[in-house]
Amino acid sequence: PVATSTIRILSLCGGMGTVGLVLKRIRQMFNIQCDIHVVEVEYCAEARAMAAHIAGDVSTHPKPHDVWEWAANEHRTKSWLQQMGQVDAVVCGFSCQDMSVAHRQGKGLQGNKSNVYFGARQVLRWVKEVYAEVDFLFECTVFRDKHRTDWDFVCDDLCSSPTILDAAVVAPCYRKRAFWASFEMLPL
């Protein structure tokens, strides 16, 4: 018998289950023998319902659903993380509403949507303290031209230069996206 390992992902602001969907596709494409467990922290009930449909067999949506609740109390969050078991990666698609060129009055990271980056970043720091070898992948629209100071801040804060690609290559969305990662991204 072949040993099966588990890949556990903490998905912050995961939306409609894209992380689970993509991992299932990769597992199938490359015939990888592993269990996938995506722990989704997603505020929007409609997005959670879609995620349950798209990636239901690999995703769970434990309470609390709000990233800010995960970022509010270090002891409580670390306890949740330890109960969860080894986390291999933290994935965060932080809200782009305040960053996008489509929102002319968008206030960048100071906006009331995109500032969730700070909560997600805090959770990532605590995950790293519990599971030192954890990788991360943060994603957002390409906001370099509109909010250059915020762009530079995120790059410095995550110690990562983003890979920019058309997200349609890997997910069901058709626009340029920036991916900050703790690992080298494959050219797509």
Side-chain angles (χ1 to χ4, degrees), residues 111-170:
N112 64 0
K113 300 268 188 193
S114 297
N115 70 1
V116 74
Y117 168 81
F118 296 105
R121 178 197 65 187
Q122 182 59 62
V123 173
L124 173 62
R125 287 180 178 164
W126 291 337
V127 173
K128 285 181 169 184
E129 290 174 14
V130 176
Y131 302 110
E133 299 298 314
V134 70
D135 279 309
F136 70 83
L137 178 69
F138 273 50
E139 174 272 332
C140 195
T141 189
V142 176
F143 56 91
R144 176 182 47 218
D145 294 336
K146 184 171 183 200
H147 298 287
R148 185 60 188 223
T149 302
D150 290 340
W151 179 268
D152 292 342
F153 174 81
V154 171
C155 292
D156 291 343
D157 195 43
L158 295 175
C159 300
S160 176
S161 295
T163 297
I164 299 171
L165 58 91
D166 184 345
V169 174
V170 295

Side-chain angles (χ1 to χ4, degrees), residues 17-37:
T18 305
V19 173
L21 175 67
V22 169
L23 288 173
K24 285 170 38 172
R25 286 183 179 173
I26 290 170
R27 179 176 64 185
Q28 182 180 13
M29 284 173 39
F30 295 103
N31 195 26
I32 299 170
Q33 300 298 313
C34 71
D35 292 328
I36 299 169
H37 183 203

